[in-house]
Amino acid sequence: MNYISNDDRLNEIIDDFDNLVLRYKVEEHGIMFPDVLESEKILMLIYACGICHNMNWDYLCSNFMYKLKIYSKGFDTNILANIDEKIVEKFFDEYPKKHKVEAARRTEMIKGIAKDLSKIDIVNGVKSVARLEGQGGLFSSINSIEVFSEDPLHKKTNLLAQILMNDEIIIVEDEYNIEPMVDYHIIRLYLRTGRIKIVNKEIEEKIRKKEELSLEQITELRQMIAKQIQRVCSKYSKTANELNIVDWYTGRNICQKETANCKECPYNRCCDSSDKSANEMLIEPIDNHGFY
């Protein structure tokens, strides 16, 4: 076993949990792409979620996606299936962290999404969906797109589902089937707080040295986090979406990779790292698969 879980760390915030959900939902989540038609919004969300690995979400949605929309004349699949890497790279000209652009990878992701979407009527499929699971459910439609299905934990699929529900683009009868979205912000937060502990010293050393872990080692870690989220949500009658709102806001805005504002963190009373500087804290594992 490489990791063990500590559910008590999550139990300690439950008393204030509902207030945190309300606060962070307002602060973090505005209506996505409010100035476009719903049919285009669905496509923008699919492309944004599909290529969002290791990229600032706000920049991706407020800048890049609008450039892609204009270039492709409203997400014409023929245009995007043949988009050139130099065009994608140019659209990221203003992005401050050039090493994270990975234009070649994102170009292939865009091409793959376009080719898969050319085979299905995804917009009407999403608009008419009534369930997440099962035949005709949202998950089966979205996971027919390769960049969504290749992740064993379907992080991108669950991110898309959460946004579609939050923006009331879809109303489903089985919201309880939403699965935890375990991305790099969530992983970093769970390692730092001690909700998940590394018992394999070799793995811990690799993480501290920023060396790449195997896909199997990272998948095991993500699965443990997802199961812990599900256990706590079941125990306290919360949804994975609600817990993701609190965790994602904290990871993105408070417990960041380079800086950690412990005084503002809702977990500062129940965190293994609250007395450390950011450079002493654990970070998420280095990954080159584009899943999380």
Side-chain angles (χ1 to χ4, degrees):
M1 178 181 290
N2 294 316
Y3 316 96
I4 58 174
S5 60
N6 179 9
D7 292 7
D8 289 342
R9 283 299 193 209
L10 274 175
N11 296 341
E12 292 168 329
I13 70 151
I14 290 299
D15 288 346
D16 197 39
F17 182 78
D18 292 338
N19 290 331
L20 290 171
V21 172
L22 290 173
R23 175 185 167 192
Y24 291 155
K25 189 171 184 178
V26 170
E27 291 188 21
E28 179 74 7
H29 182 75
I31 299 297
M32 298 296 299
F33 309 119
D35 52 350
V36 301
L37 297 173
E38 186 174 81
S39 57
E40 284 191 335
K41 181 187 293 191
I42 291 170
L43 292 172
M44 291 177 85
L45 286 171
I46 290 172
Y47 280 96
C49 292
I51 68 170
C52 70
H53 166 70
N54 202 21
M55 169 67 59
N56 181 277
W57 177 253
D58 294 333
Y59 181 93
L60 186 66
C61 293
S62 65
N63 190 305
F64 177 82
M65 290 310 305
Y66 284 94
K67 293 177 181 177
L68 193 67
K69 172 180 175 290
I70 293 169
Y71 167 80
S72 64
K73 301 178 181 178
F75 299 99
D76 184 306
T77 55
N78 290 322
I79 295 174
L80 290 178
N82 295 285
I83 192 170
D84 189 87
E85 177 185 335
K86 292 180 179 178
I87 293 171
V88 173
E89 189 170 26
K90 185 176 185 299
F91 289 168
F92 282 109
D93 273 350
E94 301 169 15
Y95 195 64
K97 297 181 179 180
K98 301 300 182 187
H99 64 287
K100 290 191 174 184
V101 169
E102 297 185 85
R105 172 182 292 205
R106 293 189 208 279
T107 301
E108 291 307 307
M109 288 178 171
I110 292 168
K111 286 181 175 181
I113 294 170
K115 290 174 183 177
D116 288 338
L117 290 185
S118 68
K119 304 170 188 175
I120 55 177
D121 183 2
I122 194 67
V123 170
N124 286 324
V126 168
K127 285 183 177 180
S128 62
V129 75
R131 295 182 57 82
L132 296 175
E133 293 278 10
Q135 185 175 3
L138 179 71
F139 290 160
S140 63
S141 296
I142 299 304
N143 286 331
S144 66
I145 305 169
E146 185 176 358
V147 298
F148 287 87
S149 64
E150 61 186 358
D151 175 12
L153 272 72
H154 300 303
K155 168 245 172 175
K156 296 177 180 181
T157 305
N158 286 290
L159 171 61
L160 178 61
Q162 287 186 15
I163 296 172
L164 291 171
M165 289 189 295
N166 287 337
D167 281 9
E168 297 183 352
I169 295 173
I170 64 171
I171 298 174
V172 295
E173 61 193 42
D174 61 339
E175 183 178 348
Y176 54 85
N177 279 325
I178 193 77
E179 296 180 10
M181 189 194 69
V182 184
D183 71 349
Y184 58 101
H185 294 301
I186 304 291
I187 295 171
R188 181 172 65 251
L189 186 67
Y190 275 57
L191 288 177
R192 285 180 172 179
T193 56
R195 300 182 212 177
I196 296 293
K197 294 180 179 291
I198 305 170
V199 295
N200 185 318
K201 295 303 178 184
E202 181 182 349
I203 287 180
E204 182 175 358
E205 190 66 16
K206 281 188 173 184
I207 290 176
R208 292 194 182 278
K209 290 181 177 180
K210 300 181 181 180
E211 297 176 0
E212 189 171 338
L213 297 189
S214 70
L215 176 58
E216 291 76 17
Q217 289 169 333
I218 295 174
T219 299
E220 180 190 354
L221 173 59
R222 295 176 70 209
Q223 287 172 334
M224 287 201 72
I225 293 172
K227 289 177 181 177
Q228 186 183 87
I229 291 172
Q230 289 168 331
R231 283 196 304 273
V232 172
C233 288
S234 176
K235 180 177 180 179
Y236 293 104
S237 299
K238 309 299 181 184
T239 67
N241 189 11
E242 289 173 325
L243 190 52
N244 273 150
I245 287 172
V246 178
D247 284 342
W248 205 36
Y249 181 89
T250 304
R252 285 188 65 200
N253 300 287
I254 299 174
C255 193
Q256 299 174 332
K257 187 174 182 178
E258 293 86 6
T259 59
N261 185 0
C262 295
K263 290 182 179 179
E264 297 296 324
C265 183
Y267 300 115
N268 61 5
R269 294 173 287 108
C270 47
C271 175
D272 288 356
S273 303
S274 59
D275 60 344
K276 299 178 181 178
S277 62
N279 61 6
E280 295 178 285
M281 297 180 186
L282 288 169
I283 59 171
E284 62 276 11
I286 300 299
D287 169 65
N288 196 37
H289 296 91
F291 293 161
Y292 77 89

Short mmCIF file of all heavy atoms in Angstrom, two decimals, residues 220-277:
data_model
loop_
_atom_site.label_atom_id
_atom_site.label_comp_id
_atom_site.label_asym_id
_atom_site.label_seq_id
_atom_site.Cartn_x
_atom_site.Cartn_y
_atom_site.Cartn_z
N GLU A 220 -3.89 5.27 -8.08
CA GLU A 220 -4.21 4.75 -6.75
C GLU A 220 -4.48 5.90 -5.78
O GLU A 220 -5.44 5.86 -4.99
CB GLU A 220 -3.05 3.90 -6.22
CG GLU A 220 -3.32 3.34 -4.82
CD GLU A 220 -2.08 2.71 -4.19
OE1 GLU A 220 -1.04 2.59 -4.87
OE2 GLU A 220 -2.17 2.35 -3.00
N LEU A 221 -3.66 6.95 -5.84
CA LEU A 221 -3.84 8.11 -4.98
C LEU A 221 -5.16 8.80 -5.25
O LEU A 221 -5.93 9.12 -4.33
CB LEU A 221 -2.67 9.08 -5.20
CG LEU A 221 -2.75 10.45 -4.50
CD1 LEU A 221 -2.86 10.29 -2.99
CD2 LEU A 221 -1.54 11.30 -4.88
N ARG A 222 -5.47 9.01 -6.51
CA ARG A 222 -6.73 9.68 -6.88
C ARG A 222 -7.94 8.84 -6.47
O ARG A 222 -8.96 9.38 -6.04
CB ARG A 222 -6.74 9.96 -8.38
CG ARG A 222 -5.67 10.95 -8.84
CD ARG A 222 -5.67 11.11 -10.33
NE ARG A 222 -6.85 11.82 -10.79
CZ ARG A 222 -7.41 11.63 -11.99
NH1 ARG A 222 -6.92 10.74 -12.83
NH2 ARG A 222 -8.47 12.33 -12.33
N GLN A 223 -7.83 7.53 -6.62
CA GLN A 223 -8.95 6.66 -6.24
C GLN A 223 -9.20 6.70 -4.74
O GLN A 223 -10.35 6.70 -4.29
CB GLN A 223 -8.67 5.23 -6.70
CG GLN A 223 -8.80 5.03 -8.20
CD GLN A 223 -8.34 3.66 -8.65
OE1 GLN A 223 -7.50 3.02 -8.02
NE2 GLN A 223 -8.86 3.21 -9.78
N MET A 224 -8.12 6.76 -3.95
CA MET A 224 -8.29 6.84 -2.50
C MET A 224 -8.97 8.14 -2.10
O MET A 224 -9.82 8.17 -1.21
CB MET A 224 -6.93 6.71 -1.80
CG MET A 224 -6.35 5.31 -1.84
SD MET A 224 -5.12 5.04 -0.54
CE MET A 224 -6.15 4.97 0.92
N ILE A 225 -8.58 9.24 -2.76
CA ILE A 225 -9.21 10.53 -2.47
C ILE A 225 -10.68 10.49 -2.85
O ILE A 225 -11.55 10.94 -2.09
CB ILE A 225 -8.48 11.66 -3.22
CG1 ILE A 225 -7.06 11.84 -2.66
CG2 ILE A 225 -9.26 12.98 -3.12
CD1 ILE A 225 -6.20 12.81 -3.46
N ALA A 226 -10.99 9.94 -4.02
CA ALA A 226 -12.38 9.86 -4.47
C ALA A 226 -13.22 9.03 -3.50
O ALA A 226 -14.35 9.42 -3.15
CB ALA A 226 -12.44 9.27 -5.87
N LYS A 227 -12.68 7.92 -3.04
CA LYS A 227 -13.43 7.06 -2.10
C LYS A 227 -13.63 7.77 -0.76
O LYS A 227 -14.68 7.62 -0.12
CB LYS A 227 -12.69 5.74 -1.92
CG LYS A 227 -12.75 4.83 -3.14
CD LYS A 227 -11.93 3.56 -2.94
CE LYS A 227 -12.00 2.68 -4.19
NZ LYS A 227 -11.16 1.46 -4.05
N GLN A 228 -12.62 8.52 -0.33
CA GLN A 228 -12.77 9.25 0.92
C GLN A 228 -13.86 10.32 0.81
O GLN A 228 -14.69 10.48 1.70
CB GLN A 228 -11.45 9.91 1.33
CG GLN A 228 -11.52 10.56 2.71
CD GLN A 228 -10.24 11.27 3.06
OE1 GLN A 228 -10.08 12.44 2.72
NE2 GLN A 228 -9.31 10.59 3.72
N ILE A 229 -13.88 11.03 -0.30
CA ILE A 229 -14.93 12.03 -0.54
C ILE A 229 -16.30 11.36 -0.49
O ILE A 229 -17.24 11.87 0.14
CB ILE A 229 -14.71 12.73 -1.89
CG1 ILE A 229 -13.46 13.62 -1.83
CG2 ILE A 229 -15.93 13.58 -2.29
CD1 ILE A 229 -13.04 14.20 -3.17
N GLN A 230 -16.43 10.23 -1.15
CA GLN A 230 -17.72 9.53 -1.18
C GLN A 230 -18.13 9.06 0.20
O GLN A 230 -19.31 9.14 0.56
CB GLN A 230 -17.63 8.35 -2.16
CG GLN A 230 -17.55 8.79 -3.61
CD GLN A 230 -17.17 7.66 -4.56
OE1 GLN A 230 -16.47 6.72 -4.18
NE2 GLN A 230 -17.64 7.74 -5.79
N ARG A 231 -17.18 8.57 1.01
CA ARG A 231 -17.50 8.12 2.36
C ARG A 231 -18.01 9.27 3.22
O ARG A 231 -19.02 9.15 3.92
CB ARG A 231 -16.27 7.51 3.04
CG ARG A 231 -15.91 6.12 2.59
CD ARG A 231 -14.95 5.46 3.56
NE ARG A 231 -13.72 6.22 3.77
CZ ARG A 231 -12.64 6.13 3.02
NH1 ARG A 231 -12.62 5.32 1.97
NH2 ARG A 231 -11.56 6.83 3.31
N VAL A 232 -17.30 10.39 3.17
CA VAL A 232 -17.68 11.53 4.00
C VAL A 232 -19.03 12.11 3.55
O VAL A 232 -19.88 12.46 4.36
CB VAL A 232 -16.58 12.60 3.97
CG1 VAL A 232 -17.04 13.88 4.66
CG2 VAL A 232 -15.32 12.07 4.65
N CYS A 233 -19.22 12.19 2.23
CA CYS A 233 -20.50 12.71 1.71
C CYS A 233 -21.66 11.81 2.12
O CYS A 233 -22.73 12.29 2.49
CB CYS A 233 -20.43 12.83 0.20
SG CYS A 233 -19.39 14.20 -0.38
N SER A 234 -21.44 10.51 2.07
CA SER A 234 -22.49 9.57 2.47
C SER A 234 -22.80 9.70 3.96
O SER A 234 -23.96 9.71 4.37
CB SER A 234 -22.06 8.14 2.14
OG SER A 234 -23.01 7.21 2.59
N LYS A 235 -21.77 9.85 4.77
CA LYS A 235 -21.93 9.94 6.21
C LYS A 235 -22.72 11.19 6.61
O LYS A 235 -23.56 11.15 7.53
CB LYS A 235 -20.57 9.95 6.89
CG LYS A 235 -20.62 10.03 8.40
CD LYS A 235 -19.22 9.97 9.00
CE LYS A 235 -19.26 10.05 10.52
NZ LYS A 235 -17.90 9.96 11.11
N TYR A 236 -22.47 12.30 5.91
CA TYR A 236 -23.08 13.57 6.29
C TYR A 236 -24.15 14.06 5.32
O TYR A 236 -24.58 15.21 5.39
CB TYR A 236 -22.00 14.63 6.44
CG TYR A 236 -21.06 14.36 7.60
CD1 TYR A 236 -19.78 13.88 7.38
CD2 TYR A 236 -21.47 14.57 8.91
CE1 TYR A 236 -18.92 13.62 8.43
CE2 TYR A 236 -20.61 14.31 9.97
CZ TYR A 236 -19.34 13.83 9.73
OH TYR A 236 -18.49 13.57 10.78
N SER A 237 -24.57 13.20 4.40
CA SER A 237 -25.62 13.54 3.42
C SER A 237 -25.26 14.79 2.61
O SER A 237 -26.09 15.69 2.42
CB SER A 237 -26.97 13.75 4.13
OG SER A 237 -27.36 12.57 4.80
N LYS A 238 -24.03 14.85 2.13
CA LYS A 238 -23.56 15.92 1.25
C LYS A 238 -23.32 15.34 -0.13
O LYS A 238 -23.27 14.12 -0.31
CB LYS A 238 -22.27 16.56 1.78
CG LYS A 238 -22.33 17.00 3.24
CD LYS A 238 -23.40 18.04 3.47
CE LYS A 238 -23.43 18.48 4.94
NZ LYS A 238 -24.53 19.44 5.21
N THR A 239 -23.16 16.20 -1.14
CA THR A 239 -22.85 15.72 -2.48
C THR A 239 -21.37 15.94 -2.77
O THR A 239 -20.73 16.84 -2.20
CB THR A 239 -23.68 16.45 -3.55
OG1 THR A 239 -23.28 17.83 -3.61
CG2 THR A 239 -25.17 16.35 -3.24
N ALA A 240 -20.85 15.13 -3.68
CA ALA A 240 -19.46 15.30 -4.10
C ALA A 240 -19.25 16.67 -4.72
O ALA A 240 -18.18 17.28 -4.58
CB ALA A 240 -19.07 14.20 -5.09
N ASN A 241 -20.27 17.16 -5.41
CA ASN A 241 -20.19 18.48 -6.02
C ASN A 241 -19.97 19.55 -4.95
O ASN A 241 -19.15 20.46 -5.11
CB ASN A 241 -21.48 18.77 -6.79
CG ASN A 241 -21.40 20.03 -7.64
OD1 ASN A 241 -20.34 20.61 -7.83
ND2 ASN A 241 -22.53 20.47 -8.14
N GLU A 242 -20.69 19.45 -3.82
CA GLU A 242 -20.54 20.44 -2.75
C GLU A 242 -19.14 20.40 -2.15
O GLU A 242 -18.52 21.45 -1.92
CB GLU A 242 -21.58 20.17 -1.66
CG GLU A 242 -23.01 20.50 -2.07
CD GLU A 242 -24.03 20.07 -1.03
OE1 GLU A 242 -23.82 19.04 -0.38
OE2 GLU A 242 -25.03 20.79 -0.88
N LEU A 243 -18.64 19.20 -1.88
CA LEU A 243 -17.30 19.10 -1.30
C LEU A 243 -16.25 19.57 -2.29
O LEU A 243 -15.26 20.22 -1.91
CB LEU A 243 -17.02 17.67 -0.85
CG LEU A 243 -15.74 17.47 -0.02
CD1 LEU A 243 -15.67 18.43 1.16
CD2 LEU A 243 -15.64 16.03 0.47
N ASN A 244 -16.46 19.29 -3.58
CA ASN A 244 -15.53 19.77 -4.59
C ASN A 244 -15.49 21.29 -4.64
O ASN A 244 -14.43 21.89 -4.88
CB ASN A 244 -15.89 19.22 -5.97
CG ASN A 244 -15.29 17.86 -6.27
OD1 ASN A 244 -15.85 17.06 -7.00
ND2 ASN A 244 -14.12 17.58 -5.71
N ILE A 245 -16.64 21.95 -4.43
CA ILE A 245 -16.67 23.41 -4.44
C ILE A 245 -15.73 23.97 -3.37
O ILE A 245 -14.91 24.87 -3.63
CB ILE A 245 -18.11 23.93 -4.22
CG1 ILE A 245 -18.96 23.71 -5.47
CG2 ILE A 245 -18.11 25.42 -3.85
CD1 ILE A 245 -20.44 24.00 -5.28
N VAL A 246 -15.83 23.43 -2.15
CA VAL A 246 -14.99 23.90 -1.05
C VAL A 246 -13.52 23.57 -1.31
O VAL A 246 -12.64 24.42 -1.17
CB VAL A 246 -15.45 23.29 0.29
CG1 VAL A 246 -14.55 23.74 1.43
CG2 VAL A 246 -16.90 23.70 0.58
N ASP A 247 -13.25 22.33 -1.70
CA ASP A 247 -11.86 21.90 -1.90
C ASP A 247 -11.22 22.62 -3.08
O ASP A 247 -10.05 23.02 -3.01
CB ASP A 247 -11.82 20.39 -2.13
CG ASP A 247 -12.01 19.60 -0.84
OD1 ASP A 247 -11.85 20.18 0.24
OD2 ASP A 247 -12.32 18.39 -0.93
N TRP A 248 -11.95 22.75 -4.17
CA TRP A 248 -11.37 23.36 -5.37
C TRP A 248 -11.08 24.83 -5.13
O TRP A 248 -10.03 25.34 -5.52
CB TRP A 248 -12.31 23.17 -6.57
CG TRP A 248 -11.62 23.20 -7.88
CD1 TRP A 248 -10.38 22.70 -8.17
CD2 TRP A 248 -12.12 23.75 -9.10
NE1 TRP A 248 -10.07 22.90 -9.50
CE2 TRP A 248 -11.13 23.54 -10.09
CE3 TRP A 248 -13.30 24.39 -9.45
CZ2 TRP A 248 -11.29 23.97 -11.40
CZ3 TRP A 248 -13.46 24.81 -10.77
CH2 TRP A 248 -12.47 24.59 -11.73
N TYR A 249 -12.00 25.52 -4.48
CA TYR A 249 -11.75 26.94 -4.18
C TYR A 249 -10.51 27.07 -3.28
O TYR A 249 -9.65 27.92 -3.52
CB TYR A 249 -12.95 27.57 -3.49
CG TYR A 249 -12.74 29.04 -3.18
CD1 TYR A 249 -13.09 30.02 -4.11
CD2 TYR A 249 -12.15 29.45 -1.99
CE1 TYR A 249 -12.86 31.36 -3.86
CE2 TYR A 249 -11.92 30.79 -1.73
CZ TYR A 249 -12.28 31.74 -2.66
OH TYR A 249 -12.04 33.08 -2.42
N THR A 250 -10.42 26.22 -2.27
CA THR A 250 -9.28 26.29 -1.36
C THR A 250 -7.97 26.02 -2.08
O THR A 250 -6.98 26.74 -1.89
CB THR A 250 -9.47 25.30 -0.20
OG1 THR A 250 -10.72 25.55 0.45
CG2 THR A 250 -8.35 25.42 0.81
N GLY A 251 -7.95 24.98 -2.92
CA GLY A 251 -6.73 24.63 -3.63
C GLY A 251 -6.31 25.67 -4.65
O GLY A 251 -5.12 25.96 -4.81
N ARG A 252 -7.28 26.24 -5.34
CA ARG A 252 -6.96 27.22 -6.38
C ARG A 252 -6.56 28.58 -5.82
O ARG A 252 -5.69 29.25 -6.36
CB ARG A 252 -8.17 27.43 -7.31
CG ARG A 252 -8.44 26.31 -8.28
CD ARG A 252 -9.52 26.73 -9.25
NE ARG A 252 -9.09 27.83 -10.09
CZ ARG A 252 -9.90 28.65 -10.75
NH1 ARG A 252 -11.20 28.49 -10.66
NH2 ARG A 252 -9.43 29.60 -11.50
N ASN A 253 -7.21 28.99 -4.74
CA ASN A 253 -7.08 30.37 -4.29
C ASN A 253 -6.35 30.56 -2.96
O ASN A 253 -5.86 31.65 -2.70
CB ASN A 253 -8.48 31.00 -4.16
CG ASN A 253 -9.23 31.00 -5.47
OD1 ASN A 253 -8.93 31.76 -6.38
ND2 ASN A 253 -10.23 30.13 -5.58
N ILE A 254 -6.27 29.53 -2.16
CA ILE A 254 -5.68 29.67 -0.82
C ILE A 254 -4.45 28.80 -0.64
O ILE A 254 -3.39 29.28 -0.27
CB ILE A 254 -6.74 29.34 0.25
CG1 ILE A 254 -7.93 30.32 0.15
CG2 ILE A 254 -6.11 29.41 1.65
CD1 ILE A 254 -9.09 29.99 1.06
N CYS A 255 -4.59 27.51 -0.91
CA CYS A 255 -3.48 26.57 -0.73
C CYS A 255 -2.84 26.28 -2.08
O CYS A 255 -2.93 25.16 -2.60
CB CYS A 255 -3.98 25.29 -0.06
SG CYS A 255 -2.66 24.21 0.53
N GLN A 256 -2.21 27.28 -2.64
CA GLN A 256 -1.63 27.15 -3.98
C GLN A 256 -0.28 26.45 -3.92
O GLN A 256 0.31 26.28 -2.85
CB GLN A 256 -1.50 28.52 -4.62
CG GLN A 256 -2.83 29.23 -4.80
CD GLN A 256 -2.68 30.65 -5.31
OE1 GLN A 256 -1.67 31.32 -5.08
NE2 GLN A 256 -3.70 31.13 -6.02
N LYS A 257 0.19 26.07 -5.07
CA LYS A 257 1.43 25.30 -5.13
C LYS A 257 2.62 26.08 -4.56
O LYS A 257 3.39 25.56 -3.76
CB LYS A 257 1.72 24.91 -6.59
CG LYS A 257 2.89 23.95 -6.77
CD LYS A 257 2.97 23.52 -8.22
CE LYS A 257 4.09 22.54 -8.46
NZ LYS A 257 4.15 22.09 -9.87
N GLU A 258 2.75 27.34 -4.94
CA GLU A 258 3.90 28.15 -4.53
C GLU A 258 3.65 28.94 -3.26
O GLU A 258 4.58 29.32 -2.56
CB GLU A 258 4.32 29.12 -5.65
CG GLU A 258 4.87 28.47 -6.90
CD GLU A 258 3.77 28.05 -7.87
OE1 GLU A 258 2.60 28.39 -7.61
OE2 GLU A 258 4.09 27.38 -8.87
N THR A 259 2.39 29.23 -2.97
CA THR A 259 2.06 30.03 -1.78
C THR A 259 0.86 29.42 -1.08
O THR A 259 -0.06 28.91 -1.73
CB THR A 259 1.73 31.49 -2.17
OG1 THR A 259 0.62 31.49 -3.08
CG2 THR A 259 2.92 32.17 -2.82
N ALA A 260 0.87 29.52 0.24
CA ALA A 260 -0.25 28.98 1.03
C ALA A 260 -0.66 30.02 2.08
O ALA A 260 0.14 30.37 2.94
CB ALA A 260 0.14 27.68 1.69
N ASN A 261 -1.89 30.50 1.97
CA ASN A 261 -2.40 31.51 2.90
C ASN A 261 -3.19 30.81 4.01
O ASN A 261 -4.42 30.76 3.99
CB ASN A 261 -3.28 32.52 2.16
CG ASN A 261 -3.73 33.66 3.04
OD1 ASN A 261 -3.40 33.71 4.22
ND2 ASN A 261 -4.50 34.57 2.48
N CYS A 262 -2.46 30.25 4.96
CA CYS A 262 -3.08 29.40 5.98
C CYS A 262 -4.09 30.15 6.84
O CYS A 262 -5.06 29.56 7.32
CB CYS A 262 -2.00 28.78 6.86
SG CYS A 262 -0.91 27.64 5.97
N LYS A 263 -3.88 31.45 7.04
CA LYS A 263 -4.81 32.22 7.88
C LYS A 263 -6.21 32.27 7.28
O LYS A 263 -7.20 32.38 8.00
CB LYS A 263 -4.27 33.63 8.08
CG LYS A 263 -3.04 33.70 8.96
CD LYS A 263 -2.59 35.14 9.17
CE LYS A 263 -1.36 35.21 10.07
NZ LYS A 263 -0.91 36.61 10.26
N GLU A 264 -6.30 32.21 5.95
CA GLU A 264 -7.59 32.29 5.27
C GLU A 264 -8.18 30.92 4.96
O GLU A 264 -9.28 30.81 4.42
CB GLU A 264 -7.44 33.07 3.96
CG GLU A 264 -7.01 34.52 4.13
CD GLU A 264 -8.06 35.33 4.87
OE1 GLU A 264 -9.27 35.07 4.66
OE2 GLU A 264 -7.68 36.22 5.65
N CYS A 265 -7.45 29.87 5.29
CA CYS A 265 -7.87 28.52 4.89
C CYS A 265 -8.90 27.94 5.84
O CYS A 265 -8.73 27.99 7.07
CB CYS A 265 -6.65 27.60 4.85
SG CYS A 265 -7.03 25.92 4.29
N PRO A 266 -9.99 27.38 5.32
CA PRO A 266 -11.01 26.77 6.20
C PRO A 266 -10.50 25.53 6.92
O PRO A 266 -11.11 25.08 7.88
CB PRO A 266 -12.14 26.43 5.22
CG PRO A 266 -11.47 26.27 3.90
CD PRO A 266 -10.36 27.28 3.89
N TYR A 267 -9.38 24.98 6.45
CA TYR A 267 -8.85 23.76 7.05
C TYR A 267 -7.68 24.02 8.00
O TYR A 267 -6.99 23.08 8.40
CB TYR A 267 -8.38 22.81 5.94
CG TYR A 267 -9.47 22.41 4.98
CD1 TYR A 267 -9.43 22.78 3.64
CD2 TYR A 267 -10.55 21.64 5.41
CE1 TYR A 267 -10.44 22.40 2.75
CE2 TYR A 267 -11.56 21.26 4.54
CZ TYR A 267 -11.49 21.64 3.21
OH TYR A 267 -12.49 21.27 2.35
N ASN A 268 -7.42 25.28 8.34
CA ASN A 268 -6.19 25.58 9.09
C ASN A 268 -6.19 24.97 10.49
O ASN A 268 -5.13 24.81 11.10
CB ASN A 268 -5.93 27.09 9.17
CG ASN A 268 -7.05 27.86 9.87
OD1 ASN A 268 -7.99 27.26 10.40
ND2 ASN A 268 -6.96 29.17 9.85
N ARG A 269 -7.37 24.62 11.03
CA ARG A 269 -7.44 24.00 12.36
C ARG A 269 -7.24 22.49 12.29
O ARG A 269 -7.09 21.84 13.33
CB ARG A 269 -8.78 24.31 13.02
CG ARG A 269 -8.99 25.77 13.34
CD ARG A 269 -10.40 26.05 13.83
NE ARG A 269 -11.38 25.97 12.74
CZ ARG A 269 -12.26 25.00 12.59
NH1 ARG A 269 -12.28 24.01 13.43
NH2 ARG A 269 -13.11 25.02 11.60
N CYS A 270 -7.27 21.94 11.11
CA CYS A 270 -7.21 20.47 10.95
C CYS A 270 -6.32 20.11 9.78
O CYS A 270 -6.73 19.40 8.86
CB CYS A 270 -8.61 19.90 10.77
SG CYS A 270 -9.62 20.77 9.55
N CYS A 271 -5.09 20.65 9.81
CA CYS A 271 -4.17 20.47 8.68
C CYS A 271 -2.78 20.14 9.19
O CYS A 271 -2.28 20.79 10.11
CB CYS A 271 -4.14 21.75 7.84
SG CYS A 271 -2.93 21.70 6.49
N ASP A 272 -2.16 19.15 8.58
CA ASP A 272 -0.81 18.75 8.97
C ASP A 272 0.25 19.76 8.56
O ASP A 272 1.39 19.69 9.03
CB ASP A 272 -0.46 17.40 8.33
CG ASP A 272 -1.22 16.24 8.95
OD1 ASP A 272 -1.95 16.47 9.93
OD2 ASP A 272 -1.08 15.11 8.45
N SER A 273 -0.09 20.70 7.68
CA SER A 273 0.92 21.61 7.12
C SER A 273 0.75 23.06 7.55
O SER A 273 1.48 23.93 7.06
CB SER A 273 0.88 21.54 5.58
OG SER A 273 1.08 20.23 5.12
N SER A 274 -0.19 23.33 8.45
CA SER A 274 -0.53 24.73 8.74
C SER A 274 0.61 25.51 9.40
O SER A 274 0.59 26.73 9.39
CB SER A 274 -1.78 24.80 9.62
OG SER A 274 -1.58 24.10 10.83
N ASP A 275 1.58 24.83 9.95
CA ASP A 275 2.70 25.53 10.59
C ASP A 275 3.95 25.52 9.72
O ASP A 275 5.05 25.83 10.19
CB ASP A 275 3.01 24.90 11.95
CG ASP A 275 3.39 23.42 11.83
OD1 ASP A 275 3.14 22.83 10.75
OD2 ASP A 275 3.94 22.87 12.80
N LYS A 276 3.80 25.20 8.44
CA LYS A 276 4.94 25.10 7.53
C LYS A 276 4.89 26.19 6.48
O LYS A 276 3.84 26.76 6.19
CB LYS A 276 4.95 23.74 6.82
CG LYS A 276 5.08 22.55 7.76
CD LYS A 276 5.03 21.25 6.98
CE LYS A 276 5.13 20.03 7.89
NZ LYS A 276 5.04 18.77 7.15
N SER A 277 6.03 26.48 5.86
CA SER A 277 6.05 27.36 4.70
C SER A 277 5.68 26.54 3.47
O SER A 277 5.78 25.31 3.48
CB SER A 277 7.45 27.97 4.52
OG SER A 277 8.40 26.94 4.27
#
